[in-house]
Amino acid sequence: MPNPIAAAIQMQSGPVLAANLARADVLVRTAAERGAQLIVLPEVFAWRGLRADEGTAPSPIPGPVSDFLSRLAAELRVILVGGSFLERSAHATRSYNTSLLVDASGAIRATYRKMHLFDVDLPGRVTVRESDGRVPGSDVVTAATELGTIGMSICYDLRFPELYRRLASAGATIITIPAAFTAHTGAAHWEPLIRARAIENQVYVIAPNQTGTSPHGFADYGHSMIVDPWGTVVARAGEGEAVLTAEIDADHLARIRQEMPCLSHARLLS
């Protein structure tokens, strides 16, 4: 039986929900046509605009974004990870940054709310305070699927290895990292961190990123990638929108874990 195929979708999302969903639809269908059974969209794929313009952008669950993901996954018979979108919360002025995993029947199998919020000031480059408009999540989230157990994370989470060890300890063999990594930090840290998380936890990592210039005026890095459990980059994008695909080889993963049994040797667990 052939190995299943995973896809990472690189997008340039903007402040018009309908346009973003229409573009995501096209790119997800392209991935499905290429045989992908697991498709991962980038962070804030559904809406990305200025904080002052958010207004009604946050969506409830169920709501327009979750309904879109469920319909598309069920139609194409794929597992679809809805990158992330702004989920309405009980807080009057802040929303969750949420990733949904939807199975091939259209059912929501897992909901992950971004745990680590991006509050940084890089003088002369970019200043972001995600916590001004977001509520942090607190749960470590995995979902058992026919392709393996999928662990979920979002963007800035990448810098916190303890989350990924907990995902691996919970049985994850595939980890998704939808992102909107900036060009400045991406050029320095995107690939090294993704490869490190794959190597440390002996998992496949699917990391789709935003590309182009964000509505906030800074450049996104692009360079989405899929990395295998040995740390090999098996698919890589440049700049511009793209659909990456790669095989998920369970035998390769099992062999790496058997020959280099680091996970069973761990003495200090987060």
Side-chain angles (χ1 to χ4, degrees), residues 112 115-116 140 142 151-179 181 190 193-194 196-198 200-207 257 263 270:
Y112 172 71
M115 187 179 297
H116 301 96
V140 176
T142 61
M152 302 176 72
S153 66
I154 299 172
C155 199
Y156 190 50
D157 287 331
L158 179 58
R159 295 183 181 275
F160 300 88
E162 61 275 13
L163 170 61
Y164 295 89
R165 181 48 53 93
R166 289 193 181 188
L167 291 170
S169 296
T173 56
I174 302 167
I175 289 177
T176 57
I177 314 177
F181 235 72
W190 174 247
L193 287 172
I194 292 171
R197 299 296 86 88
E200 291 165 348
N201 300 292
Q202 298 176 319
V203 294
Y204 279 91
V205 172
I206 305 169
R257 289 187 173 187
L263 296 176
S270 298

mmCIF file of all heavy atoms in Angstrom, residues 112 115-116 140 142 151-179 181 190 193-194 196-198 200-207 257 263 270:
data_model
loop_
_atom_site.group_PDB
_atom_site.id
_atom_site.type_symbol
_atom_site.label_atom_id
_atom_site.label_comp_id
_atom_site.label_asym_id
_atom_site.label_seq_id
_atom_site.Cartn_x
_atom_site.Cartn_y
_atom_site.Cartn_z
ATOM 1 N N TYR A 112 -7.361 23.337 18.828
ATOM 2 C CA TYR A 112 -6.192 23.839 19.551
ATOM 3 C C TYR A 112 -6.190 25.359 19.521
ATOM 4 O O TYR A 112 -6.287 25.974 18.448
ATOM 5 C CB TYR A 112 -4.885 23.314 18.945
ATOM 6 C CG TYR A 112 -3.680 23.986 19.566
ATOM 7 C CD1 TYR A 112 -3.307 23.699 20.883
ATOM 8 C CD2 TYR A 112 -2.941 24.944 18.872
ATOM 9 C CE1 TYR A 112 -2.234 24.345 21.486
ATOM 10 C CE2 TYR A 112 -1.868 25.586 19.457
ATOM 11 C CZ TYR A 112 -1.515 25.286 20.764
ATOM 12 O OH TYR A 112 -0.456 25.936 21.365
ATOM 13 N N MET A 115 -1.168 28.685 22.396
ATOM 14 C CA MET A 115 -0.776 28.813 23.790
ATOM 15 C C MET A 115 0.194 29.967 24.022
ATOM 16 O O MET A 115 0.077 30.712 24.999
ATOM 17 C CB MET A 115 -0.145 27.486 24.232
ATOM 18 C CG MET A 115 0.174 27.377 25.692
ATOM 19 S SD MET A 115 0.899 25.752 26.082
ATOM 20 C CE MET A 115 -0.465 24.649 25.667
ATOM 21 N N HIS A 116 1.187 30.100 23.147
ATOM 22 C CA HIS A 116 2.231 31.112 23.315
ATOM 23 C C HIS A 116 1.951 32.281 22.375
ATOM 24 O O HIS A 116 1.882 32.086 21.156
ATOM 25 C CB HIS A 116 3.602 30.513 23.023
ATOM 26 C CG HIS A 116 3.948 29.351 23.903
ATOM 27 N ND1 HIS A 116 3.753 28.042 23.509
ATOM 28 C CD2 HIS A 116 4.439 29.303 25.162
ATOM 29 C CE1 HIS A 116 4.140 27.231 24.487
ATOM 30 N NE2 HIS A 116 4.550 27.972 25.506
ATOM 31 N N VAL A 140 -2.748 21.047 25.697
ATOM 32 C CA VAL A 140 -1.921 20.309 24.740
ATOM 33 C C VAL A 140 -2.855 19.372 23.985
ATOM 34 O O VAL A 140 -3.566 18.574 24.599
ATOM 35 C CB VAL A 140 -0.822 19.526 25.471
ATOM 36 C CG1 VAL A 140 -0.021 18.676 24.490
ATOM 37 C CG2 VAL A 140 0.093 20.478 26.237
ATOM 38 N N THR A 142 -3.801 16.614 20.863
ATOM 39 C CA THR A 142 -3.489 15.637 19.820
ATOM 40 C C THR A 142 -4.789 15.002 19.350
ATOM 41 O O THR A 142 -5.810 15.054 20.036
ATOM 42 C CB THR A 142 -2.553 14.525 20.338
ATOM 43 O OG1 THR A 142 -3.200 13.821 21.401
ATOM 44 C CG2 THR A 142 -1.229 15.091 20.823
ATOM 45 N N GLY A 151 -0.273 15.984 16.427
ATOM 46 C CA GLY A 151 -0.133 16.983 17.475
ATOM 47 C C GLY A 151 -0.233 18.372 16.867
ATOM 48 O O GLY A 151 0.270 18.618 15.767
ATOM 49 N N MET A 152 -0.881 19.282 17.590
ATOM 50 C CA MET A 152 -1.192 20.593 17.022
ATOM 51 C C MET A 152 -0.457 21.723 17.748
ATOM 52 O O MET A 152 -0.308 21.697 18.981
ATOM 53 C CB MET A 152 -2.702 20.826 17.068
ATOM 54 C CG MET A 152 -3.474 19.754 16.310
ATOM 55 S SD MET A 152 -5.263 19.936 16.425
ATOM 56 C CE MET A 152 -5.500 21.389 15.384
ATOM 57 N N SER A 153 -0.003 22.700 16.962
ATOM 58 C CA SER A 153 0.646 23.894 17.501
ATOM 59 C C SER A 153 0.477 25.008 16.482
ATOM 60 O O SER A 153 -0.012 24.772 15.370
ATOM 61 C CB SER A 153 2.131 23.629 17.780
ATOM 62 O OG SER A 153 2.844 23.389 16.571
ATOM 63 N N ILE A 154 0.883 26.228 16.856
ATOM 64 C CA ILE A 154 0.758 27.369 15.954
ATOM 65 C C ILE A 154 1.976 28.292 16.117
ATOM 66 O O ILE A 154 2.272 28.749 17.222
ATOM 67 C CB ILE A 154 -0.531 28.181 16.225
ATOM 68 C CG1 ILE A 154 -1.788 27.331 16.027
ATOM 69 C CG2 ILE A 154 -0.598 29.425 15.331
ATOM 70 C CD1 ILE A 154 -3.081 28.011 16.474
ATOM 71 N N CYS A 155 2.672 28.551 15.060
ATOM 72 C CA CYS A 155 3.668 29.612 14.888
ATOM 73 C C CYS A 155 4.629 29.775 16.073
ATOM 74 O O CYS A 155 5.558 28.995 16.236
ATOM 75 C CB CYS A 155 2.961 30.922 14.552
ATOM 76 S SG CYS A 155 4.054 32.166 13.785
ATOM 77 N N TYR A 156 4.403 30.790 16.911
ATOM 78 C CA TYR A 156 5.337 31.132 17.993
ATOM 79 C C TYR A 156 5.539 29.981 18.957
ATOM 80 O O TYR A 156 6.572 29.916 19.646
ATOM 81 C CB TYR A 156 4.828 32.382 18.709
ATOM 82 C CG TYR A 156 5.766 33.015 19.704
ATOM 83 C CD1 TYR A 156 7.093 33.307 19.370
ATOM 84 C CD2 TYR A 156 5.323 33.352 20.977
ATOM 85 C CE1 TYR A 156 7.947 33.904 20.288
ATOM 86 C CE2 TYR A 156 6.162 33.952 21.898
ATOM 87 C CZ TYR A 156 7.479 34.233 21.550
ATOM 88 O OH TYR A 156 8.314 34.823 22.461
ATOM 89 N N ASP A 157 4.595 29.050 19.028
ATOM 90 C CA ASP A 157 4.783 27.845 19.827
ATOM 91 C C ASP A 157 6.090 27.139 19.478
ATOM 92 O O ASP A 157 6.682 26.441 20.314
ATOM 93 C CB ASP A 157 3.640 26.846 19.582
ATOM 94 C CG ASP A 157 2.316 27.252 20.211
ATOM 95 O OD1 ASP A 157 2.314 27.949 21.237
ATOM 96 O OD2 ASP A 157 1.276 26.847 19.653
ATOM 97 N N LEU A 158 6.526 27.297 18.232
ATOM 98 C CA LEU A 158 7.712 26.612 17.732
ATOM 99 C C LEU A 158 8.933 26.838 18.614
ATOM 100 O O LEU A 158 9.838 25.996 18.670
ATOM 101 C CB LEU A 158 7.990 27.096 16.299
ATOM 102 C CG LEU A 158 9.187 26.550 15.537
ATOM 103 C CD1 LEU A 158 9.116 25.039 15.419
ATOM 104 C CD2 LEU A 158 9.254 27.198 14.151
ATOM 105 N N ARG A 159 8.971 27.961 19.317
ATOM 106 C CA ARG A 159 10.139 28.310 20.133
ATOM 107 C C ARG A 159 10.106 27.687 21.528
ATOM 108 O O ARG A 159 11.002 27.946 22.341
ATOM 109 C CB ARG A 159 10.251 29.833 20.258
ATOM 110 C CG ARG A 159 10.529 30.523 18.915
ATOM 111 C CD ARG A 159 10.714 32.022 19.089
ATOM 112 N NE ARG A 159 10.965 32.676 17.813
ATOM 113 C CZ ARG A 159 12.164 32.792 17.243
ATOM 114 N NH1 ARG A 159 13.236 32.301 17.847
ATOM 115 N NH2 ARG A 159 12.299 33.412 16.085
ATOM 116 N N PHE A 160 9.123 26.862 21.807
ATOM 117 C CA PHE A 160 8.960 26.311 23.147
ATOM 118 C C PHE A 160 8.978 24.784 23.071
ATOM 119 O O PHE A 160 7.933 24.130 22.938
ATOM 120 C CB PHE A 160 7.667 26.843 23.771
ATOM 121 C CG PHE A 160 7.681 28.348 23.880
ATOM 122 C CD1 PHE A 160 7.226 29.142 22.826
ATOM 123 C CD2 PHE A 160 8.197 28.963 25.005
ATOM 124 C CE1 PHE A 160 7.278 30.521 22.913
ATOM 125 C CE2 PHE A 160 8.243 30.354 25.097
ATOM 126 C CZ PHE A 160 7.792 31.129 24.053
ATOM 127 N N PRO A 161 10.174 24.178 23.158
ATOM 128 C CA PRO A 161 10.313 22.743 22.888
ATOM 129 C C PRO A 161 9.544 21.854 23.857
ATOM 130 O O PRO A 161 9.197 20.722 23.515
ATOM 131 C CB PRO A 161 11.824 22.496 22.996
ATOM 132 C CG PRO A 161 12.352 23.653 23.782
ATOM 133 C CD PRO A 161 11.476 24.815 23.441
ATOM 134 N N GLU A 162 9.247 22.363 25.048
ATOM 135 C CA GLU A 162 8.528 21.537 26.011
ATOM 136 C C GLU A 162 7.134 21.165 25.520
ATOM 137 O O GLU A 162 6.609 20.081 25.827
ATOM 138 C CB GLU A 162 8.450 22.236 27.373
ATOM 139 C CG GLU A 162 7.718 23.562 27.401
ATOM 140 C CD GLU A 162 8.566 24.768 27.027
ATOM 141 O OE1 GLU A 162 9.689 24.583 26.492
ATOM 142 O OE2 GLU A 162 8.112 25.899 27.276
ATOM 143 N N LEU A 163 6.504 22.046 24.734
ATOM 144 C CA LEU A 163 5.195 21.711 24.166
ATOM 145 C C LEU A 163 5.312 20.508 23.249
ATOM 146 O O LEU A 163 4.482 19.589 23.292
ATOM 147 C CB LEU A 163 4.626 22.909 23.402
ATOM 148 C CG LEU A 163 3.384 22.634 22.551
ATOM 149 C CD1 LEU A 163 2.227 22.136 23.412
ATOM 150 C CD2 LEU A 163 2.971 23.880 21.768
ATOM 151 N N TYR A 164 6.359 20.481 22.421
ATOM 152 C CA TYR A 164 6.499 19.408 21.434
ATOM 153 C C TYR A 164 6.860 18.081 22.096
ATOM 154 O O TYR A 164 6.414 17.020 21.646
ATOM 155 C CB TYR A 164 7.508 19.830 20.370
ATOM 156 C CG TYR A 164 6.968 21.014 19.619
ATOM 157 C CD1 TYR A 164 7.214 22.316 20.058
ATOM 158 C CD2 TYR A 164 6.124 20.841 18.533
ATOM 159 C CE1 TYR A 164 6.662 23.405 19.421
ATOM 160 C CE2 TYR A 164 5.567 21.924 17.878
ATOM 161 C CZ TYR A 164 5.834 23.200 18.330
ATOM 162 O OH TYR A 164 5.265 24.276 17.699
ATOM 163 N N ARG A 165 7.612 18.120 23.182
ATOM 164 C CA ARG A 165 7.887 16.889 23.893
ATOM 165 C C ARG A 165 6.613 16.333 24.519
ATOM 166 O O ARG A 165 6.386 15.124 24.558
ATOM 167 C CB ARG A 165 8.978 17.100 24.949
ATOM 168 C CG ARG A 165 9.368 15.846 25.756
ATOM 169 C CD ARG A 165 9.621 14.613 24.869
ATOM 170 N NE ARG A 165 10.560 14.804 23.797
ATOM 171 C CZ ARG A 165 11.859 14.545 23.880
ATOM 172 N NH1 ARG A 165 12.364 14.094 25.013
ATOM 173 N NH2 ARG A 165 12.646 14.723 22.850
ATOM 174 N N ARG A 166 5.744 17.226 24.991
ATOM 175 C CA ARG A 166 4.462 16.756 25.531
ATOM 176 C C ARG A 166 3.598 16.152 24.423
ATOM 177 O O ARG A 166 2.913 15.148 24.644
ATOM 178 C CB ARG A 166 3.731 17.895 26.229
ATOM 179 C CG ARG A 166 4.374 18.310 27.534
ATOM 180 C CD ARG A 166 3.472 19.203 28.337
ATOM 181 N NE ARG A 166 4.119 19.617 29.571
ATOM 182 C CZ ARG A 166 3.506 20.279 30.542
ATOM 183 N NH1 ARG A 166 2.219 20.600 30.426
ATOM 184 N NH2 ARG A 166 4.149 20.620 31.637
ATOM 185 N N LEU A 167 3.639 16.740 23.237
ATOM 186 C CA LEU A 167 2.892 16.172 22.117
ATOM 187 C C LEU A 167 3.431 14.786 21.759
ATOM 188 O O LEU A 167 2.658 13.845 21.536
ATOM 189 C CB LEU A 167 2.961 17.106 20.913
ATOM 190 C CG LEU A 167 2.205 18.429 21.044
ATOM 191 C CD1 LEU A 167 2.551 19.363 19.890
ATOM 192 C CD2 LEU A 167 0.695 18.204 21.100
ATOM 193 N N ALA A 168 4.756 14.657 21.726
ATOM 194 C CA ALA A 168 5.349 13.358 21.427
ATOM 195 C C ALA A 168 5.015 12.347 22.522
ATOM 196 O O ALA A 168 4.700 11.182 22.243
ATOM 197 C CB ALA A 168 6.863 13.491 21.265
ATOM 198 N N SER A 169 5.056 12.777 23.771
ATOM 199 C CA SER A 169 4.726 11.887 24.884
ATOM 200 C C SER A 169 3.270 11.430 24.821
ATOM 201 O O SER A 169 2.923 10.355 25.310
ATOM 202 C CB SER A 169 5.001 12.574 26.219
ATOM 203 O OG SER A 169 6.383 12.851 26.364
ATOM 204 N N ALA A 170 2.420 12.271 24.203
ATOM 205 C CA ALA A 170 1.006 11.915 24.031
ATOM 206 C C ALA A 170 0.779 11.048 22.804
ATOM 207 O O ALA A 170 -0.370 10.743 22.470
ATOM 208 C CB ALA A 170 0.163 13.178 23.945
ATOM 209 N N GLY A 171 1.857 10.674 22.111
ATOM 210 C CA GLY A 171 1.742 9.737 21.001
ATOM 211 C C GLY A 171 1.839 10.344 19.615
ATOM 212 O O GLY A 171 1.683 9.642 18.615
ATOM 213 N N ALA A 172 2.117 11.647 19.507
ATOM 214 C CA ALA A 172 2.151 12.291 18.188
ATOM 215 C C ALA A 172 3.245 11.695 17.311
ATOM 216 O O ALA A 172 4.385 11.509 17.753
ATOM 217 C CB ALA A 172 2.350 13.788 18.336
ATOM 218 N N THR A 173 2.900 11.402 16.073
ATOM 219 C CA THR A 173 3.868 11.007 15.056
ATOM 220 C C THR A 173 3.956 12.049 13.941
ATOM 221 O O THR A 173 4.889 12.033 13.145
ATOM 222 C CB THR A 173 3.497 9.643 14.437
ATOM 223 O OG1 THR A 173 2.155 9.705 13.919
ATOM 224 C CG2 THR A 173 3.581 8.544 15.484
ATOM 225 N N ILE A 174 2.971 12.932 13.898
ATOM 226 C CA ILE A 174 2.935 14.059 12.955
ATOM 227 C C ILE A 174 2.594 15.302 13.773
ATOM 228 O O ILE A 174 1.703 15.258 14.625
ATOM 229 C CB ILE A 174 1.856 13.858 11.873
ATOM 230 C CG1 ILE A 174 2.092 12.572 11.089
ATOM 231 C CG2 ILE A 174 1.785 15.057 10.936
ATOM 232 C CD1 ILE A 174 0.894 12.153 10.227
ATOM 233 N N ILE A 175 3.301 16.399 13.529
ATOM 234 C CA ILE A 175 2.997 17.656 14.225
ATOM 235 C C ILE A 175 2.785 18.748 13.181
ATOM 236 O O ILE A 175 3.553 18.873 12.222
ATOM 237 C CB ILE A 175 4.106 18.031 15.210
ATOM 238 C CG1 ILE A 175 4.088 17.067 16.406
ATOM 239 C CG2 ILE A 175 3.943 19.469 15.700
ATOM 240 C CD1 ILE A 175 5.181 17.293 17.434
ATOM 241 N N THR A 176 1.726 19.520 13.376
ATOM 242 C CA THR A 176 1.422 20.625 12.459
ATOM 243 C C THR A 176 1.813 21.946 13.110
ATOM 244 O O THR A 176 1.558 22.169 14.296
ATOM 245 C CB THR A 176 -0.065 20.641 12.079
ATOM 246 O OG1 THR A 176 -0.875 20.737 13.262
ATOM 247 C CG2 THR A 176 -0.433 19.357 11.348
ATOM 248 N N ILE A 177 2.440 22.826 12.306
ATOM 249 C CA ILE A 177 2.859 24.143 12.790
ATOM 250 C C ILE A 177 2.460 25.206 11.763
ATOM 251 O O ILE A 177 3.302 25.765 11.050
ATOM 252 C CB ILE A 177 4.372 24.214 13.069
ATOM 253 C CG1 ILE A 177 4.852 22.996 13.857
ATOM 254 C CG2 ILE A 177 4.702 25.505 13.839
ATOM 255 C CD1 ILE A 177 6.354 22.963 14.107
ATOM 256 N N PRO A 178 1.159 25.493 11.613
ATOM 257 C CA PRO A 178 0.761 26.602 10.743
ATOM 258 C C PRO A 178 1.322 27.906 11.300
ATOM 259 O O PRO A 178 1.320 28.112 12.516
ATOM 260 C CB PRO A 178 -0.776 26.559 10.805
ATOM 261 C CG PRO A 178 -1.093 25.855 12.082
ATOM 262 C CD PRO A 178 0.016 24.876 12.313
ATOM 263 N N ALA A 179 1.787 28.788 10.415
ATOM 264 C CA ALA A 179 2.524 29.952 10.893
ATOM 265 C C ALA A 179 2.303 31.176 10.022
ATOM 266 O O ALA A 179 1.828 31.092 8.888
ATOM 267 C CB ALA A 179 4.018 29.619 10.968
ATOM 268 N N PHE A 181 5.222 33.468 10.115
ATOM 269 C CA PHE A 181 6.552 33.839 10.588
ATOM 270 C C PHE A 181 7.064 35.029 9.783
ATOM 271 O O PHE A 181 7.005 35.037 8.557
ATOM 272 C CB PHE A 181 7.500 32.657 10.400
ATOM 273 C CG PHE A 181 8.222 32.212 11.647
ATOM 274 C CD1 PHE A 181 7.545 31.555 12.658
ATOM 275 C CD2 PHE A 181 9.583 32.436 11.789
ATOM 276 C CE1 PHE A 181 8.216 31.130 13.794
ATOM 277 C CE2 PHE A 181 10.262 32.013 12.915
ATOM 278 C CZ PHE A 181 9.583 31.353 13.930
ATOM 279 N N TRP A 190 13.564 29.902 11.310
ATOM 280 C CA TRP A 190 12.465 29.044 10.864
ATOM 281 C C TRP A 190 12.925 27.613 10.611
ATOM 282 O O TRP A 190 12.464 26.671 11.259
ATOM 283 C CB TRP A 190 11.844 29.661 9.618
ATOM 284 C CG TRP A 190 10.794 28.913 8.876
ATOM 285 C CD1 TRP A 190 10.891 28.388 7.620
ATOM 286 C CD2 TRP A 190 9.433 28.653 9.292
ATOM 287 N NE1 TRP A 190 9.706 27.815 7.229
ATOM 288 C CE2 TRP A 190 8.792 27.969 8.233
ATOM 289 C CE3 TRP A 190 8.701 28.941 10.435
ATOM 290 C CZ2 TRP A 190 7.462 27.554 8.296
ATOM 291 C CZ3 TRP A 190 7.370 28.528 10.510
ATOM 292 C CH2 TRP A 190 6.764 27.846 9.454
ATOM 293 N N LEU A 193 14.616 25.674 13.729
ATOM 294 C CA LEU A 193 13.668 25.285 14.770
ATOM 295 C C LEU A 193 12.760 24.144 14.312
ATOM 296 O O LEU A 193 12.491 23.204 15.078
ATOM 297 C CB LEU A 193 12.829 26.489 15.196
ATOM 298 C CG LEU A 193 13.549 27.537 16.046
ATOM 299 C CD1 LEU A 193 12.664 28.762 16.230
ATOM 300 C CD2 LEU A 193 13.955 26.966 17.398
ATOM 301 N N ILE A 194 12.283 24.215 13.078
ATOM 302 C CA ILE A 194 11.420 23.141 12.576
ATOM 303 C C ILE A 194 12.171 21.822 12.536
ATOM 304 O O ILE A 194 11.667 20.774 12.987
ATOM 305 C CB ILE A 194 10.868 23.491 11.186
ATOM 306 C CG1 ILE A 194 9.888 24.668 11.284
ATOM 307 C CG2 ILE A 194 10.171 22.281 10.559
ATOM 308 C CD1 ILE A 194 9.461 25.200 9.949
ATOM 309 N N ALA A 196 14.774 21.001 14.277
ATOM 310 C CA ALA A 196 15.053 20.572 15.651
ATOM 311 C C ALA A 196 13.845 19.891 16.276
ATOM 312 O O ALA A 196 13.973 18.837 16.915
ATOM 313 C CB ALA A 196 15.477 21.767 16.499
ATOM 314 N N ARG A 197 12.645 20.478 16.094
ATOM 315 C CA ARG A 197 11.458 19.864 16.671
ATOM 316 C C ARG A 197 11.214 18.471 16.067
ATOM 317 O O ARG A 197 10.794 17.549 16.761
ATOM 318 C CB ARG A 197 10.232 20.749 16.460
ATOM 319 C CG ARG A 197 10.263 22.148 17.070
ATOM 320 C CD ARG A 197 10.337 22.166 18.577
ATOM 321 N NE ARG A 197 11.692 22.082 19.067
ATOM 322 C CZ ARG A 197 12.513 23.100 19.275
ATOM 323 N NH1 ARG A 197 12.106 24.328 19.014
ATOM 324 N NH2 ARG A 197 13.729 22.914 19.763
ATOM 325 N N ALA A 198 11.475 18.320 14.768
ATOM 326 C CA ALA A 198 11.304 17.010 14.130
ATOM 327 C C ALA A 198 12.319 16.004 14.671
ATOM 328 O O ALA A 198 11.970 14.862 14.985
ATOM 329 C CB ALA A 198 11.443 17.153 12.621
ATOM 330 N N GLU A 200 14.180 16.124 17.554
ATOM 331 C CA GLU A 200 14.043 15.881 18.995
ATOM 332 C C GLU A 200 12.921 14.898 19.310
ATOM 333 O O GLU A 200 13.043 14.072 20.219
ATOM 334 C CB GLU A 200 13.728 17.190 19.724
ATOM 335 C CG GLU A 200 14.855 18.201 19.761
ATOM 336 C CD GLU A 200 14.366 19.575 20.172
ATOM 337 O OE1 GLU A 200 13.130 19.804 20.202
ATOM 338 O OE2 GLU A 200 15.218 20.426 20.456
ATOM 339 N N ASN A 201 11.843 15.017 18.551
ATOM 340 C CA ASN A 201 10.641 14.244 18.871
ATOM 341 C C ASN A 201 10.370 13.123 17.895
ATOM 342 O O ASN A 201 9.383 12.401 18.035
ATOM 343 C CB ASN A 201 9.450 15.200 18.953
ATOM 344 C CG ASN A 201 9.659 16.243 20.027
ATOM 345 O OD1 ASN A 201 9.678 15.920 21.208
ATOM 346 N ND2 ASN A 201 9.856 17.497 19.621
ATOM 347 N N GLN A 202 11.239 12.978 16.884
ATOM 348 C CA GLN A 202 11.155 11.903 15.907
ATOM 349 C C GLN A 202 9.754 11.830 15.310
ATOM 350 O O GLN A 202 9.068 10.812 15.356
ATOM 351 C CB GLN A 202 11.600 10.593 16.560
ATOM 352 C CG GLN A 202 13.049 10.661 17.027
ATOM 353 C CD GLN A 202 13.523 9.432 17.754
ATOM 354 O OE1 GLN A 202 12.796 8.873 18.567
ATOM 355 N NE2 GLN A 202 14.744 9.006 17.479
ATOM 356 N N VAL A 203 9.360 12.956 14.720
ATOM 357 C CA VAL A 203 8.035 13.113 14.126
ATOM 358 C C VAL A 203 8.169 13.762 12.758
ATOM 359 O O VAL A 203 9.176 14.407 12.447
ATOM 360 C CB VAL A 203 7.115 13.997 15.005
ATOM 361 C CG1 VAL A 203 6.809 13.329 16.332
ATOM 362 C CG2 VAL A 203 7.727 15.393 15.230
ATOM 363 N N TYR A 204 7.127 13.609 11.938
ATOM 364 C CA TYR A 204 6.981 14.442 10.748
ATOM 365 C C TYR A 204 6.434 15.799 11.187
ATOM 366 O O TYR A 204 5.535 15.871 12.042
ATOM 367 C CB TYR A 204 6.020 13.801 9.751
ATOM 368 C CG TYR A 204 6.658 12.734 8.903
ATOM 369 C CD1 TYR A 204 6.645 11.406 9.300
ATOM 370 C CD2 TYR A 204 7.288 13.061 7.702
ATOM 371 C CE1 TYR A 204 7.241 10.422 8.528
ATOM 372 C CE2 TYR A 204 7.885 12.089 6.923
ATOM 373 C CZ TYR A 204 7.861 10.773 7.333
ATOM 374 O OH TYR A 204 8.461 9.804 6.565
ATOM 375 N N VAL A 205 6.971 16.858 10.617
ATOM 376 C CA VAL A 205 6.486 18.208 10.887
ATOM 377 C C VAL A 205 5.980 18.819 9.583
ATOM 378 O O VAL A 205 6.693 18.826 8.572
ATOM 379 C CB VAL A 205 7.584 19.105 11.493
ATOM 380 C CG1 VAL A 205 7.105 20.551 11.591
ATOM 381 C CG2 VAL A 205 7.984 18.600 12.876
ATOM 382 N N ILE A 206 4.759 19.323 9.625
ATOM 383 C CA ILE A 206 4.159 20.003 8.477
ATOM 384 C C ILE A 206 3.982 21.459 8.872
ATOM 385 O O ILE A 206 3.221 21.780 9.793
ATOM 386 C CB ILE A 206 2.818 19.369 8.098
ATOM 387 C CG1 ILE A 206 3.004 17.865 7.855
ATOM 388 C CG2 ILE A 206 2.229 20.045 6.854
ATOM 389 C CD1 ILE A 206 1.706 17.103 7.736
ATOM 390 N N ALA A 207 4.699 22.350 8.193
ATOM 391 C CA ALA A 207 4.778 23.743 8.618
ATOM 392 C C ALA A 207 4.476 24.687 7.458
ATOM 393 O O ALA A 207 5.386 25.148 6.760
ATOM 394 C CB ALA A 207 6.162 24.043 9.196
ATOM 395 N N ARG A 257 12.852 5.559 15.224
ATOM 396 C CA ARG A 257 12.608 5.451 16.666
ATOM 397 C C ARG A 257 13.213 4.166 17.246
ATOM 398 O O ARG A 257 13.629 4.151 18.412
ATOM 399 C CB ARG A 257 11.109 5.516 16.950
ATOM 400 C CG ARG A 257 10.527 6.910 16.723
ATOM 401 C CD ARG A 257 9.076 7.001 17.181
ATOM 402 N NE ARG A 257 8.595 8.380 17.119
ATOM 403 C CZ ARG A 257 7.410 8.779 17.578
ATOM 404 N NH1 ARG A 257 6.582 7.889 18.127
ATOM 405 N NH2 ARG A 257 7.056 10.046 17.501
ATOM 406 N N LEU A 263 13.321 8.801 22.610
ATOM 407 C CA LEU A 263 12.115 9.083 23.384
ATOM 408 C C LEU A 263 12.016 8.168 24.598
ATOM 409 O O LEU A 263 11.581 8.589 25.679
ATOM 410 C CB LEU A 263 10.869 8.955 22.505
ATOM 411 C CG LEU A 263 10.771 9.955 21.349
ATOM 412 C CD1 LEU A 263 9.547 9.666 20.501
ATOM 413 C CD2 LEU A 263 10.740 11.389 21.854
ATOM 414 N N SER A 270 9.070 17.261 30.437
ATOM 415 C CA SER A 270 8.430 18.546 30.734
ATOM 416 C C SER A 270 7.048 18.294 31.301
ATOM 417 O O SER A 270 6.380 17.344 30.924
ATOM 418 C CB SER A 270 8.337 19.390 29.469
ATOM 419 O OG SER A 270 9.622 19.665 28.968
#
